Amino acid sequence: MQVRTVNISKRYAGLAALDDVSLTVQPGELVALLGPSGSGKTTLLRTIAGLEPPDAGTVYFNDRDLSDSRIQDRGVGFVFQHYALFKHMRVMDNIAFGLRARRKNKPREDEIKRRVLELLDLVQLSGLERRFPAQLSGGQRQRVALARALAIEPSVLLLDEPFGALDARVRKDLRRWLREIHDRTGHTTLFVTHDQEEALELADRVVVMNKGKIEQSATPDEIYDTPATPFVFSFIGESSVIPVQVGNGRATLDERLLDLEIGALPDGPAQLYLRPEDVTMVTDGGPGIPGLVVSTRRIGGMRRVTIECGLARHRIEFDALAEVPINNSQRLTIRVIGGRVYGAGAEGYETERLAASATSDFKWAKAEGWLDR
Amino acid sequence: MSETAQTRKVRRAIGEGPATRIVLIMVALVFLGLMLIAPLLVVFVEAFGRGIGVYLQALALPDTMAALQLTLLVAVIAVPANLIFGVAAAWLITKFDFKGKSFLLTLIDLPFAVSPVVSGLIFVLLFGANSALGPWLEDNNIQILYAVPGIVIATIFITFPFIARELIPLMEQQGSSEEEAAVSLGASGWRTFFQVTLPNVKWGLLYGVLLCNARAMGEFGAVSVVSGHIRGLTNTLPLHIEILYNDNKAAAAFAVASLLAMLALVTLAVKTLLEARFAGEIAAQRRH
């Protein structure tokens, strides 16, 4: 089932929760709606389910316009963050609820029972059908909720922060398990998350949302490697930002030329976004940006170093090998070897380091004066 | 032994000193005895003071039986009516968003805020001979004031908030995600209500019904204004008690009072029994 939203808008008390959102999800696709709280991702999910009526716009399943379709008739499997299991019903009655509520093609009771046991097997909870929800762990409850949603053979599976209330370890297990279930059942699936790691690991496609708009919709690789907007860059992964000036296809920092190729960006002020891996330490005495170490912390096999550079003491983070000793207040020279520059219009450009021979003739060593203020 | 000493030490460390504790417990006990237990005992002691014969005689008076019948009739009409009104109001207020919601909430509290006597007067002004409705009622031969309908209406008004007030916080706390799950699974509104919403609030609902019933049988002020005190016709038990007492028939008054008190005690006992019987289920629902 293809899911399509066309120009969906929704306002709460004058604030735009969704602002003209159009999104197409292909049949069988597993899509993550990723964004900070208040970005509209849950509202979009609930609008697709029919739990929120949009102020404007249309939702389509394949070519069926759902504007006048009640939620009961949409056939969506909805999984809530806090499970929303029926507390007074046993696990098997929870899962059977949707089948028993059918008015047309209601299966016989023994058929329902067979389906329930089958689903319990799918979600690896066989033997727990007589338990009440309160007698289950959080991870087990969420699996019951998924089995309950799958029982009605939904055309679309919608999950609202499905792992948000679980601890880190269970969350990781369930993530892998959800992917397996999706691959086995092939439902068109949308899930909402604020956890970028979860989105990038689980989804075929990630839709990054901010302030009721879609910032970027792309594969996890594209989202990380070529973020379309500064927001996506800083929301996904670690980032440092320094304001630069662009002129003649070059970027300057405090009127000093950076060793960077800037594509077709128009002249004027711009922002240089850097990931830790876009910065290296200069150890051979070559040119670079001098800075002062303000803090270091250990992350796995690397050491994350924060230094202050430039007149306005811009903070830049990069990773150094753990065995290289680096102390606070130490002077270092760094070199930018990647990153992206975003102009005033927020259009993004890949930056590239200039050829080694073309390093600027500017003597960065002189700039050590920066540090002696 | 050392373990007990340990526990004792810990308990002392987190509690108050023995003197403070004794004083606090005494204050609580004295208050409880004076305000709750003593009055109840007095009712029964006075009722049975002149022997069981006098007691039964007082109860067997036709006026008393009529008052008992009327009280039960009023409760049987008022409680189910408020069950429906209360559940509907709580459902509307907690599961839907609409303009004027807080106004409606305030309105539900009105019978609590207004003195029962004033509530009774409101109905006298509304249905009385000098009101706008009065002549029309008279023309159609509908007797509301100084008759059973008036008593029922006043009782429904007075007991309206009990069930709604009991349910609203409970349903608010439970949110609507279970209902949303039910409709997303294809359940109709009625099915969702009867299979999901109602089971989730049944204990609060029971408590509300019991409170509502206790008040419906015990209401004095509003009913007193609208009833007209016609012996054997429009006297409920509380009104009947007052009449007996004013007639210097103290023993009979206390006998009837003990009947009313017993109805209340039975209500409370039923509630306690049900709670004990379903303790596990209640606990399971509160967890999570």
Side-chain angles (χ1 to χ4, degrees), chain A residues 85-261:
Chain A
L85 293 177
F86 307 129
K87 294 190 275 292
H88 58 285
M89 292 185 201
R90 295 179 192 278
V91 165
M92 66 168 303
D93 298 322
N94 262 286
I95 299 174
F97 186 89
L99 295 173
R100 288 184 183 145
R102 270 192 198 167
R103 259 174 262 170
K104 276 181 283 177
N105 309 325
K106 185 174 163 183
R108 289 215 319 272
E109 198 54 29
D110 56 335
E111 167 69 12
I112 289 177
K113 183 150 194 212
R114 199 184 55 73
R115 283 278 298 148
V116 169
L117 294 179
E118 221 174 74
L119 282 161
L120 273 171
D121 187 50
L122 179 73
V123 300
Q124 298 160 10
L125 289 176
S126 295
L128 298 184
E129 61 268 21
R130 310 264 324 142
R131 296 265 188 99
F132 282 102
Q135 297 165 319
L136 300 175
S137 72
Q140 290 172 328
R141 283 180 208 172
Q142 197 55 290
R143 284 192 264 169
V144 173
L146 186 65
R148 184 178 67 177
L150 289 172
I152 60 166
E153 287 153 357
S155 44
V156 185
L157 193 56
L158 304 172
L159 304 100
D160 184 10
E161 305 235 7
F163 314 125
L166 302 168
D167 66 63
R169 177 93 178 274
V170 179
R171 203 184 301 181
K172 266 207 161 116
D173 285 349
L174 276 185
R175 221 186 270 169
R176 200 173 321 121
W177 170 86
L178 179 66
R179 182 74 230 189
E180 279 170 22
I181 296 236
H182 174 263
D183 292 346
R184 214 174 325 156
T185 60
H187 286 108
T188 307
T189 306
L190 272 101
F191 72 99
V192 159
T193 181
H194 60 259
D195 182 347
Q196 38 145 322
E197 198 190 318
E198 193 167 288
L200 296 177
E201 188 185 315
L202 193 54
D204 298 327
R205 190 149 60 93
V206 177
V207 176
V208 182
M209 295 191 65
N210 182 37
K211 294 180 180 162
K213 282 181 184 288
I214 292 177
E215 294 266 337
Q216 190 172 11
S217 165
T219 64
D221 278 349
E222 287 167 337
I223 291 277
Y224 192 86
D225 295 335
T226 52
T229 64
F231 174 81
V232 177
F233 196 109
S234 53
F235 191 69
I236 308 284
E238 301 284 331
S239 60
S240 310
V241 191
I242 44 178
V244 291
Q245 202 67 36
V246 171
N248 303 321
R250 301 289 178 86
T252 54
L253 169 64
D254 295 341
E255 294 174 358
R256 274 146 201 168
L257 201 56
L258 284 177
D259 206 7
L260 291 171
E261 177 81 57

Side-chain angles (χ1 to χ4, degrees), chain B:
Chain B
M1 202 198 94
S2 67
E3 206 173 89
T4 344
Q6 270 289 318
T7 331
R8 230 176 259 157
K9 214 172 191 180
V10 170
R11 209 171 278 165
R12 201 166 298 157
I14 57 169
E16 295 295 335
T20 323
R21 262 187 294 165
I22 287 168
V23 168
L24 285 175
I25 290 170
M26 290 310 288
V27 167
L29 283 180
V30 167
F31 186 80
L32 211 67
L34 220 61
M35 303 302 287
L36 292 175
I37 296 168
L40 203 58
L41 282 178
V42 165
V43 169
F44 286 98
V45 167
E46 291 284 333
F48 290 102
R50 299 202 191 155
I52 192 107
V54 179
Y55 179 78
L56 290 176
Q57 233 172 8
L59 291 191
L61 285 173
D63 282 358
T64 309
M65 290 320 284
L68 178 61
Q69 270 174 13
L70 180 60
T71 299
L72 292 177
L73 175 72
V74 168
V76 161
I77 300 172
V79 173
N82 272 336
L83 180 68
I84 295 168
F85 293 156
V87 170
W91 163 271
L92 186 66
I93 283 173
T94 55
K95 310 283 175 184
F96 298 92
D97 249 330
F98 54 92
K99 271 193 182 139
K101 188 163 154 173
S102 51
F103 179 68
L104 187 61
L105 258 173
T106 317
L107 216 57
I108 287 174
D109 276 340
L110 192 69
F112 275 174
V114 174
S115 157
V117 177
V118 176
S119 311
L121 277 173
I122 292 169
F123 288 112
V124 170
L125 293 176
L126 195 62
F127 299 120
N130 299 327
S131 73
L133 275 174
W136 183 85
L137 290 171
E138 207 166 317
D139 290 346
N140 291 281
N141 230 349
I142 300 171
Q143 184 77 27
I144 289 184
L145 283 182
Y146 318 120
V148 177
I151 298 173
V152 170
I153 289 172
T155 307
I156 290 178
F157 178 82
I158 291 294
T159 55
F160 181 75
F162 284 97
I163 290 171
R165 268 283 147 203
E166 196 66 40
L167 290 183
I168 287 168
L170 188 66
M171 287 167 85
E172 220 150 51
Q173 176 215 331
Q174 286 177 343
S176 12
S177 62
E178 280 185 46
E179 280 81 3
E180 288 179 347
V183 292
S184 80
L185 292 166
S188 64
W190 286 113
R191 194 185 181 88
T192 303
F193 177 74
F194 283 110
Q195 297 203 351
V196 177
T197 308
L198 209 54
N200 269 335
V201 299
K202 63 181 173 196
W203 293 108
L205 187 61
L206 177 71
Y207 198 56
V209 165
L210 292 175
L211 283 176
C212 178
N213 181 54
R215 184 64 187 267
M217 295 196 299
E219 171 54 24
F220 180 84
V223 170
S224 171
V225 176
V226 296
S227 95
H229 302 269
I230 306 167
R231 288 190 194 202
L233 278 181
T234 62
N235 264 349
T236 60
L237 281 181
L239 302 184
H240 188 56
I241 292 168
E242 198 216 11
I243 290 175
L244 288 173
Y245 190 77
N246 288 342
D247 287 353
N248 282 325
K249 292 179 188 151
F254 276 110
V256 180
S258 78
L259 195 68
L260 203 53
M262 225 127 49
L263 284 175
L265 287 178
V266 166
T267 315
L268 286 179
V270 168
K271 174 186 163 266
T272 314
L273 268 177
L274 283 173
E275 272 179 353
R277 170 79 181 69
F278 297 102
E281 199 185 314
I282 298 172
Q285 287 196 21
R286 289 217 176 121
R287 235 184 296 159
H288 165 74

